[in-house]
Amino acid sequence: MKKLILSLIVLLAFSIGASASKIVTDSIYSKKLNCWQKYNVYLPDGFEKSGKQYPVVYLLHGLWGDYSNWAKSGSMKLVADELISSGEAREMVIVMPNAGASDARKYQNGYFNVEDWPYEDFFYQEFLPEVEKKYRIIGDKEHRAIMGLSMGGGGSVVYSQRHPDMFSSCYAMSAWLDNKGGDVAGGYKIKDKLWIVCQSVCDNSAVDFVANADEETIKKLRTVKWFIDCGDDDILFNVNVLFYQKMREKRIKAELRIRDGVHNWEYWHTALRTALPFASRNFSR
């Protein structure tokens, strides 16, 4: 009898493990960037056997980071598993692309097109189409969301501004939305790769985009659900509040949350617990 019970326990554990969620590390060769680009993909429990298509969240990392940060430092698998299991979030695929490396002075970082790093072209023309085909993603505005932290928060906002027809929602955490005040690497004079990404954030200012938006653009921005989440002691607090104020001036509805916290993983880990349900609520049923 004991052997039978033990066998049943082992069988149950095996069956649970076989269908459990997982993070897959994959790669794509980019002709645009002339290199291989790794990325992580979170696949929900039952993905392999279901045969169905899923909504998707693009989850972007920050400066000095890479595609592995959300899994290693943000414990995103744990958060996603808990939220999906409890029904707070829908089953979804979560894609974590790579837009940098740990040494931002030596390796190019950033989500925008700069000299020898046409990352935005890569993202829309190569990366997104291949990933959505390979991982059975529904692939329309109503089932696609984007979010990120710091540089990735700014990237998610600008991507949603430029392509409001592609994203149902955008959740920006401690977002790097402009750099005219020198909040990041302020006063850094050497024109290396860090200088290039800082300049690219100025050139692609999310704040300026809203301030200069015409009525037709504003109408399109209103089709996206916006959420800005920033700590009260974050180095990017002022620009996040400024961005929200510009959105209010143009009557573009957005959620704003100012919580106790700084620019660190403790804050972003807890933000993810709000971000994934927010994306879920705004996916079309």
Side-chain angles (χ1 to χ4, degrees):
M1 186 64 180
K2 289 183 178 179
K3 289 183 178 180
L4 177 61
I5 293 173
L6 180 61
S7 297
L8 289 172
I9 291 173
V10 172
L11 181 62
L12 178 62
F14 176 79
S15 64
I16 292 173
S19 62
S21 71
K22 63 181 179 180
I23 292 178
V24 175
T25 299
D26 207 337
S27 61
I28 175 177
Y29 183 78
S30 170
K31 293 181 180 179
K32 298 288 184 182
L33 302 177
N34 194 30
C35 65
W36 284 93
Q37 285 288 91
K38 287 185 176 182
Y39 60 96
N40 274 347
V41 184
Y42 168 87
L43 302 175
D45 184 7
F47 176 88
E48 286 82 0
K49 295 181 179 180
S50 73
K52 64 183 181 182
Q53 292 182 299
Y54 291 83
V56 64
V57 165
Y58 288 91
L59 183 58
L60 310 186
H61 67 77
L63 185 67
W64 304 91
D66 63 24
Y67 70 96
S68 68
N69 287 164
W70 273 108
K72 292 178 179 178
S73 302
S75 303
M76 63 75 47
K77 183 180 181 298
L78 173 66
V79 175
D81 286 348
E82 290 179 356
L83 292 171
I84 292 172
S85 178
S86 68
E88 295 173 79
R90 290 177 59 178
E91 289 185 335
M92 64 179 75
V93 171
I94 303 174
V95 180
M96 292 154 275
N98 193 70
S102 58
D103 188 344
R105 293 188 172 92
K106 184 177 181 181
Y107 301 102
Q108 193 62 61
N109 280 247
Y111 294 97
F112 308 129
N113 289 345
V114 297
E115 186 177 357
D116 298 325
W117 183 257
Y119 189 89
E120 193 167 351
D121 290 347
F122 156 72
F123 185 89
Y124 285 102
Q125 298 174 28
E126 297 178 326
F127 181 71
L128 186 146
E130 177 168 318
V131 168
E132 296 196 350
K133 180 179 179 181
K134 186 171 186 178
Y135 289 99
R136 301 201 315 270
I137 290 164
I138 296 172
D140 59 22
K141 173 184 173 71
E142 289 74 22
H143 299 91
R144 187 188 292 121
I146 191 166
M147 59 183 66
L149 67 90
S150 194
M151 181 181 77
S156 66
V157 169
V158 174
Y159 279 15
S160 298
Q161 289 176 331
R162 289 178 177 163
H163 303 275
D165 59 319
M166 294 188 69
F167 301 103
S168 57
S169 69
C170 173
Y171 194 108
M173 312 172 198
S174 311
W176 192 18
L177 299 161
D178 199 335
N179 202 51
K180 294 183 181 67
D183 297 314
V184 177
Y188 195 72
K189 302 300 183 182
I190 301 174
K191 291 190 176 182
D192 59 4
K193 294 186 184 301
L194 177 60
W195 184 92
I196 291 172
V197 69
C198 288
Q199 186 60 45
S200 76
V201 174
C202 290
D203 295 341
N204 296 276
S205 168
V207 177
D208 289 351
F209 189 97
V210 177
N212 298 326
D214 58 25
E215 281 303 316
E216 187 61 30
T217 300
I218 291 169
K219 288 179 182 178
K220 293 177 181 178
L221 295 179
R222 288 173 180 156
T223 70
V224 180
K225 302 297 183 183
W226 302 90
F227 201 121
I228 300 97
D229 186 347
C230 189
D232 56 356
D233 292 314
D234 196 293
I235 58 171
L236 297 174
F237 174 84
N238 289 338
V239 73
N240 277 258
V241 172
L242 177 61
F243 173 73
Y244 177 70
Q245 290 172 335
K246 295 297 182 184
M247 294 282 276
R248 282 177 61 92
E249 289 173 9
K250 294 300 178 77
R251 300 188 303 279
I252 302 168
K253 185 177 180 181
E255 299 285 342
L256 173 66
R257 294 294 181 276
I258 303 298
R259 300 184 288 118
D260 181 42
V262 296
H263 206 78
N264 65 12
W265 277 106
E266 180 182 357
Y267 192 91
W268 303 321
H269 172 80
T270 57
L272 194 61
R273 295 185 179 276
T274 303
L276 294 181
F278 177 75
S280 293
R281 290 194 300 272
N282 291 296
F283 287 144
S284 173
R285 295 285 174 178

